[in-house]
Amino acid sequence: MSTSTNTNSLEDIEEDKLEQLQLTLPNKLWLGKYPTYLYQGFWCLVLEPTISFQTHFQAQDSDIILASLPKSGTTWLKFLIFSVINRNKFPDFSKHPLHTQNPHELVLQFELKLYSKIKGSQPDLTKLPSPRLFATHIPYPSLPDSIKTSKCKIVYVCRNPLDTFISLWHFNLKCERDETITPDMIMKYFENFCKGGFAFGPYEDYILGYWDEHTRNPDKVLFLEYEGLKADPSAQVMRLAEFMGCPFSEEEQKASLVEEIIKLCSLDSLKEKDVNKSGKFYDFVENYALFRKGEVGDWINYLNPSMIKELLHDLHEKLKKSGFSFKYYNE
Ligand code: PAP
């Protein structure tokens, strides 16, 4: 904390800004209890940590940052990024940290874990081993400038809107244990999702922020699809390694290292680990709730195709107009 009595210190200005913002920004309760603010065009669940991250984080050229909307494959990509980057450090997979550490401990989330208050001491990230691995749910336009202007790399993973919504829906039912949320309310929540009213939404703006930057600068932003990873994991993990500057050598490929990493990071294997079955890494997230079915097209078991078409119309139109289409997914 600043010891200066000068009220114009950076921290004071930011604190004032926060108070003003909270008074002026449109806001609503997410899941009936978490305040979210419409901040820089997205529904921000953690306003002060987000501003703290924007204000204090200094990127390094070697950083690798995973970006995603919640329920799009964050956990999976954390496993994969960590395992690919550290494959020489942990060659014996039977003793790999993934057996004993939650992926969210290995790849830390900026706004949900590292940053909290604008004022006061901030996390010392300078001692983390290089490359530093981080994750965020903040949309591209709201990332700190140092991420945009440095040579650090962003791995973005997107998932189709229907499975993202269903995953979110189950997560809310599981985590919240709130009797006011009942299975029959699914259409109400889906309508809300399509209108962008969920934490870190709107969906289409979020995707387009990272998509646009990927098309402008493919060496800066890698664009992965959850469905692509499911369809052809080897090809996508090879892309990931290449993008992060550590491509698999021919010897590694011949030794089936890519496949071994995919196996190590598979949902079936990891959801059974004690570290992932119990405990909480985030205050409001039980570890087990991050692992469910991991399927493509699971939405069909919950939503009626004829009822969703119209609701999704505007979202799809906006994506289409911007030249975006899913490579691996058709509804
Ligand atoms: P988060 O943003 O809250 O961290 P995130 O990991 O992005 O969540 O998404 C969770 C989804 O990824 C779940 O999907 P589902 O509800 O449709 O099943 C979860 O099952 C899936 N998932 C988690 N780990 C893996 C994995 N190793 N492989 C494939 N999918 C996974």
Side-chain angles (χ1 to χ4, degrees):
M1 192 188 295
S2 167
T3 50
S4 160
T5 50
N6 178 354
T7 51
N8 287 333
S9 69
L10 174 69
E11 286 89 349
D12 287 339
I13 290 166
E14 293 305 329
E15 180 111 318
D16 288 351
K17 191 166 131 191
L18 178 72
E19 278 166 19
Q20 278 171 21
L21 272 173
Q22 280 177 325
L23 289 173
T24 55
L25 290 176
N27 60 77
K28 60 181 170 188
L29 291 178
W30 183 55
L31 301 174
K33 58 180 162 185
Y34 299 112
T36 56
Y37 296 88
L38 190 59
Y39 172 63
Q40 299 180 340
F42 76 102
W43 285 102
C44 184
L45 179 63
V46 280
L47 190 58
E48 186 167 5
T50 298
I51 297 173
S52 179
F53 165 48
Q54 292 177 321
T55 308
H56 300 290
F57 179 67
Q58 281 306 316
Q60 295 175 0
D61 287 347
S62 54
D63 289 344
I64 294 168
I65 296 164
L66 167 66
S68 58
L69 264 182
K71 308 296 143 206
S72 301
T74 322
T75 310
W76 193 10
L77 260 299
K78 283 182 177 180
F79 289 138
L80 287 170
I81 290 173
F82 181 86
S83 310
V84 170
I85 287 286
N86 291 298
R87 62 190 190 265
N88 294 326
K89 198 165 162 189
F90 305 111
D92 181 353
F93 282 11
S94 67
K95 297 187 184 126
H96 200 280
L98 287 199
H99 298 301
T100 50
Q101 283 179 272
N102 182 282
H104 303 289
E105 283 173 56
L106 303 171
V107 181
L108 293 169
Q109 195 100 2
F110 289 122
E111 70 284 358
L112 296 179
K113 195 73 190 176
L114 288 172
Y115 289 93
S116 53
K117 297 284 172 203
I118 295 172
K119 265 184 158 184
S121 61
Q122 299 300 326
D124 180 8
L125 307 174
T126 56
K127 299 203 174 64
L128 293 177
S130 176
R132 303 185 304 176
L133 308 179
F134 298 112
T136 187
H137 287 320
I138 303 295
Y140 183 83
S142 296
L143 292 178
D145 282 346
S146 77
I147 293 185
K148 295 178 185 165
T149 54
S150 71
K151 292 202 177 92
C152 75
K153 295 201 172 239
I154 299 172
V155 175
Y156 177 70
V157 60
C158 99
R159 191 179 191 186
N160 76 79
L162 291 167
D163 287 328
T164 302
F165 167 74
I166 289 299
S167 186
L168 194 59
W169 170 250
H170 282 283
F171 180 77
N172 293 342
L173 284 182
K174 251 193 227 173
C175 266
E176 295 307 317
R177 300 212 185 89
D178 177 346
E179 289 100 56
T180 59
I181 306 177
T182 50
D184 60 307
M185 290 161 85
I186 191 164
M187 279 314 285
K188 179 179 148 222
Y189 274 80
F190 183 63
E191 276 175 42
N192 198 35
F193 177 89
C194 293
K195 287 184 200 142
F198 62 101
F200 304 101
Y203 177 93
E204 61 277 31
D205 293 345
Y206 194 95
I207 290 205
L208 291 176
Y210 284 97
W211 174 253
D212 288 347
E213 196 51 30
H214 160 75
T215 51
R216 270 193 294 269
N217 196 352
D219 292 334
K220 174 81 179 173
V221 180
L222 176 70
F223 198 92
L224 293 173
E225 291 179 38
Y226 184 94
E227 298 76 16
L229 274 152
K230 293 288 287 187
D232 193 353
S234 303
Q236 299 305 318
V237 170
M238 302 256 287
R239 270 182 80 205
L240 173 67
E242 179 114 29
F243 173 79
M244 296 193 297
C246 54
F248 286 94
S249 66
E250 270 185 34
E251 294 77 64
E252 287 179 320
Q253 289 180 50
K254 273 193 203 131
S256 304
L257 191 57
V258 182
E259 289 70 26
E260 287 301 314
I261 288 178
I262 291 166
K263 211 157 88 189
L264 178 73
C265 299
S266 75
L267 177 62
D268 286 347
S269 132
L270 287 161
K271 79 198 288 193
E272 293 312 321
K273 306 275 174 228
D274 285 345
V275 65
N276 296 323
K277 278 202 290 198
S278 61
K280 273 185 180 187
F281 182 65
Y282 298 123
D283 291 346
F284 55 95
V285 180
E286 307 225 22
N287 290 341
Y288 82 93
L290 295 166
F291 305 89
R292 201 179 60 95
K293 286 188 187 171
E295 285 174 4
V296 177
D298 186 39
W299 65 269
I300 197 80
N301 298 312
Y302 303 92
L303 297 168
N304 178 336
S306 61
M307 284 166 81
I308 57 168
K309 220 175 159 117
E310 208 177 304
L311 291 170
L312 277 173
H313 178 266
D314 290 352
L315 183 154
H316 280 309
E317 279 303 299
K318 198 160 170 190
L319 290 178
K320 210 157 63 184
K321 267 194 203 132
S322 304
F324 174 83
S325 59
F326 293 99
K327 209 162 158 192
Y328 293 92
Y329 191 78
N330 284 314
E331 263 136 44

